Amino acid sequence: MLNETQEANYIQKTIGEIAASDFRAIQVFEKYGIDFCCGGQKTFGDACTEKGLSTGQVLQELEQAAQSTSGPGERYDMWELDFLADYIVNQYHTYTKSMLLRVGDLADKVAEVHGDRHPETHLIAQKWRKLGEEMTAHLQKEERLLFPQIKRLVQGEKNSQRPASPPLSSTHQLIREIEAEHETVGESLAEIETLSHGFTPPQDACNTYRALYGYLAEFNENTKKHVHLENNILFPKAIHLEKHK
């Protein structure tokens, strides 16, 4: 149990810091709709106030989550940055690219069949196509520019050498661009969630319709964790490494 001083200090921590230090906190934030990825810079106290939550109650649940067992492999904040960058590409970029195509096909089919009775499906399909274009370019920017530069920073630190200058801009500048794109992705997914009534299919939905909404919900959750690993762990450490190289 936290004492008053510890609780006061905890309230001033950002949501991103809490999620980065213990991934198990994410399940609590998800339960209460607290944005731990794009909104990770808000303090815990401010986030609770915005949601009308008792900080004491949420803190108690965070403590309970922290006491649950977890494997050492899930301590992402302890991983080497180059390893974490590769993990993100293999685990999340591969998934995202596959899902952008799969969900896009389903969204088009559902809009074509059910669009007359459910016009929101046309909007979902349109927004998904735009999201797919934006995320494809976004992933390429990370894989071709940002992540290689982060790896050069890590290698330079290991070899006690100054890494070569990035081809276009500093690591910090690239990260700020990427974070802005994360905001755009988050807004697009929030719009799709609203249009789909929280990814809840209507009573007359066919199996394809239900599969679409199931995939949308899964993609939304996966993308939040993807952005969390970058915004709250990989990026802050990379900026720190660049400043102190």
Side-chain angles (χ1 to χ4, degrees), residues 95 196 198-200 211-223:
Y95 167 86
S196 63
F199 311 118
T200 304
L212 170 64
Y213 277 26
Y215 280 134
L216 286 173
E218 176 190 296
F219 187 89
N220 186 57
E221 180 179 354
N222 186 280
T223 301

Side-chain angles (χ1 to χ4, degrees), residues 43-180:
T43 66
F44 173 74
D46 287 345
C48 288
T49 298
E50 286 184 8
K51 294 290 183 179
L53 301 170
S54 163
T55 56
Q57 173 64 31
V58 181
L59 272 174
Q60 183 178 4
E61 293 190 36
L62 287 171
E63 285 187 83
Q64 292 172 350
Q67 292 169 4
S68 63
T69 58
S70 64
E74 294 171 311
R75 287 300 307 272
Y76 306 111
D77 58 316
M78 302 296 291
W79 292 3
E80 294 286 346
L81 292 191
D82 49 356
F83 183 85
L84 178 57
D86 283 339
Y87 173 81
I88 289 171
V89 171
N90 294 329
Q91 185 73 17
Y92 290 95
H93 285 206
T94 300
Y95 167 86
T96 299
K97 292 172 185 176
S98 172
M99 289 295 284
L100 288 174
L101 294 172
R102 179 183 301 176
V103 174
D105 289 341
L106 285 176
D108 289 339
K109 290 178 182 177
V110 170
E112 181 179 354
V113 175
H114 299 273
D116 290 342
R117 284 174 296 172
H118 300 283
E120 70 277 5
T121 59
H122 286 297
L123 291 174
I124 290 172
Q126 292 169 10
K127 289 183 179 296
W128 188 266
R129 281 195 294 272
K130 182 179 179 182
L131 177 67
E133 293 171 359
E134 293 172 346
M135 290 200 75
T136 298
H138 173 83
L139 298 179
Q140 288 178 348
K141 184 184 293 185
E142 289 188 340
E143 293 175 12
R144 296 177 182 178
L145 295 176
L146 180 57
F147 288 2
Q149 176 59 11
I150 290 175
K151 291 181 179 182
R152 285 192 289 269
L153 287 170
V154 172
Q155 195 60 41
E157 182 187 44
K158 291 179 178 179
N159 298 335
S160 299
Q161 295 176 349
R162 184 182 180 87
S165 298
L168 297 176
S169 56
S170 70
T171 305
H172 195 167
Q173 289 173 317
L174 275 173
I175 284 173
R176 290 297 171 250
E177 292 175 15
I178 293 293
E179 287 177 332

Side-chain angles (χ1 to χ4, degrees), residues 11-36:
I11 288 174
Q12 295 305 313
K13 288 185 177 181
T14 68
I15 295 298
E17 289 173 337
I18 297 170
S21 63
D22 192 338
F23 78 97
R24 292 165 297 190
I26 290 175
Q27 62 184 307
V28 179
F29 294 149
E30 288 181 329
K31 173 182 176 181
Y32 290 109
I34 295 174
D35 186 355
F36 59 88

